[in-house]
Amino acid sequence: MNAVWGLTWKELIRKRVTLMTILMTVVFLVAYWFIADAIAGEHQVYANDSSNDLFIKMVSGVMVLTLGFFFGAFAVAFLAIFGSVAAVTGEAEQGVLQSVLARPIPRWKWFMGRWLGFVSYGALYAFLLFFSIIVICWIETGVLFQIFVLLKAYLLFTAVVPLLVSLTMLGSCFLSPLGNGISMTMLFGMGWLGSMLGRFMEMGRIQLEGIKTLETITGLIKLFMPADALQQRMLSELFSISELGGLINLGRELSYVFSINGAPTNSFLVYCAIYTIILLAVGLFVMTRKDF
């Protein structure tokens, strides 16, 4: 299993998706630094005393981090999806899988080795991106978080990696790499759209006759693709929304797209963990039974 894990890392390093991700991440971080500087500079104009300065720093930090993690979540998700999109079918089409499985290695060990390789690779990228965004925000706004808060936020930020890798590898047992990539991208987009519609409804921005039906649909979408819900909980933990107790209305300071509403409960986090384990278990079951 360890050998497959290491080979998966070597494969990912050689893939073009890694090169493109690195290049686009550098471009994003440079652009993000300019945007963070502009936001912090604009809000600093209104800081005319020490008490107001603290509030301005808080609002600036929230806006900068929300914007950064909004795009950061997409980058992590796309690396997790397109890194593992050809994990099974793509290997079978190239004849690599048949030669590997002919050796005395159980199929489940091969599948787990690949899964660990994709997840650890995505988690490392999420770690670098997470702390790059935090450092840029700290330099521009002076907002600094406690280590425990950062650790909780990072774990929630990277929790989407095993979820998406498990779902993508399960899809790769049945679909071609192209079909699997398109399906996963559309699913991820549906999850984000469902979560955003849910936030709009909670703020009363959508008033329809069939609002109950829409709530049911968005709820089902969030259950099937809870990636954006995890992102909302991460932001809620990072900004300590529950501890602020209404002292600062962050939702009013942010636009509706970037608003932080309806963060999932601990029960939903448990559901996400169980859902990920089930997807991985089903993928292992299919892998051990499928003919190539």
Side-chain angles (χ1 to χ4, degrees):
M1 189 189 304
N2 291 336
V4 177
W5 187 346
L7 289 173
T8 302
W9 266 70
K10 290 181 180 177
E11 174 194 327
L12 286 169
I13 292 171
R14 291 196 301 266
K15 273 189 171 181
R16 289 182 181 178
V17 66
T18 297
L19 177 62
M20 288 301 299
T21 301
I22 293 173
L23 291 176
M24 295 309 295
T25 301
V26 172
V27 172
F28 161 69
L29 289 176
V30 171
Y32 174 65
W33 201 320
F34 279 105
I35 294 171
D37 182 67
I39 293 175
E42 180 183 353
H43 282 79
Q44 196 61 33
V45 174
Y46 302 101
N48 48 18
D49 57 54
S50 57
S51 59
N52 197 30
D53 182 59
L54 183 62
F55 174 75
I56 293 296
K57 279 186 177 179
M58 180 67 182
V59 173
S60 298
V62 169
M63 293 182 68
V64 168
L65 288 175
T66 304
L67 185 64
F69 285 122
F70 176 78
F71 291 102
F74 278 88
V76 171
F78 288 153
L79 179 63
I81 291 172
F82 289 103
S84 58
V85 72
V88 179
T89 308
E91 299 282 299
E93 288 178 353
Q94 296 174 2
V96 177
L97 185 61
Q98 290 82 347
S99 61
V100 172
L101 296 181
R103 300 184 179 184
I105 175 174
R107 290 189 175 194
W108 72 268
K109 284 190 176 181
W110 179 88
F111 194 89
M112 278 302 300
R114 298 283 282 169
W115 187 86
L116 288 171
F118 292 131
V119 170
S120 57
Y121 195 81
L124 176 62
Y125 173 75
F127 175 82
L128 296 175
L129 184 60
F130 179 87
F131 281 95
S132 297
I133 292 172
I134 291 291
V135 168
I136 290 174
C137 176
W138 170 59
I139 292 173
E140 292 297 335
T141 66
V143 174
L144 192 59
F145 298 92
Q146 296 178 347
I147 294 296
F148 182 66
V149 173
L150 288 177
L151 180 60
K152 281 199 299 184
Y154 165 70
L155 291 176
L156 288 166
F157 182 64
T158 198
V160 73
V161 175
L163 170 70
L164 291 177
V165 169
S166 301
L167 191 55
T168 306
M169 287 187 69
L170 176 59
S172 74
C173 293
F174 303 100
L175 301 173
S176 66
L178 179 61
N180 194 24
I182 293 173
S183 302
M184 285 301 303
T185 303
M186 292 183 68
L187 273 177
F188 181 77
M190 284 175 58
W192 178 81
L193 181 63
S195 182
M196 188 177 67
L197 287 174
R199 296 200 296 274
F200 276 31
M201 286 187 289
E202 287 187 9
M203 290 186 294
R205 301 298 302 177
I206 296 179
Q207 299 292 337
L208 298 173
E209 290 185 2
I211 192 72
K212 291 295 182 184
T213 305
L214 187 58
E215 284 179 352
T216 303
I217 293 172
T218 55
L220 291 174
I221 291 174
K222 286 170 67 176
L223 287 175
F224 194 67
M225 177 52 74
D228 194 67
L230 289 172
Q231 172 83 354
Q232 290 296 307
R233 179 59 185 265
M234 184 275 288
L235 292 173
S236 177
E237 291 292 335
L238 187 62
F239 303 142
S240 303
I241 297 293
S242 59
E243 296 177 11
L244 288 176
L247 292 176
I248 301 176
N249 186 2
L250 294 177
R252 188 182 60 189
E253 306 295 337
L254 302 169
S255 70
Y256 296 115
V257 176
F258 300 117
S259 62
I260 308 169
N261 281 329
T265 62
N266 291 335
S267 300
F268 190 83
L269 297 184
V270 173
Y271 161 77
C272 291
I274 295 174
Y275 182 52
T276 301
I277 293 171
I278 290 175
L279 290 174
L280 175 61
V282 174
L284 284 167
F285 177 78
V286 173
M287 183 66 200
T288 55
R289 298 299 181 96
K290 190 174 178 64
D291 291 330
F292 295 99

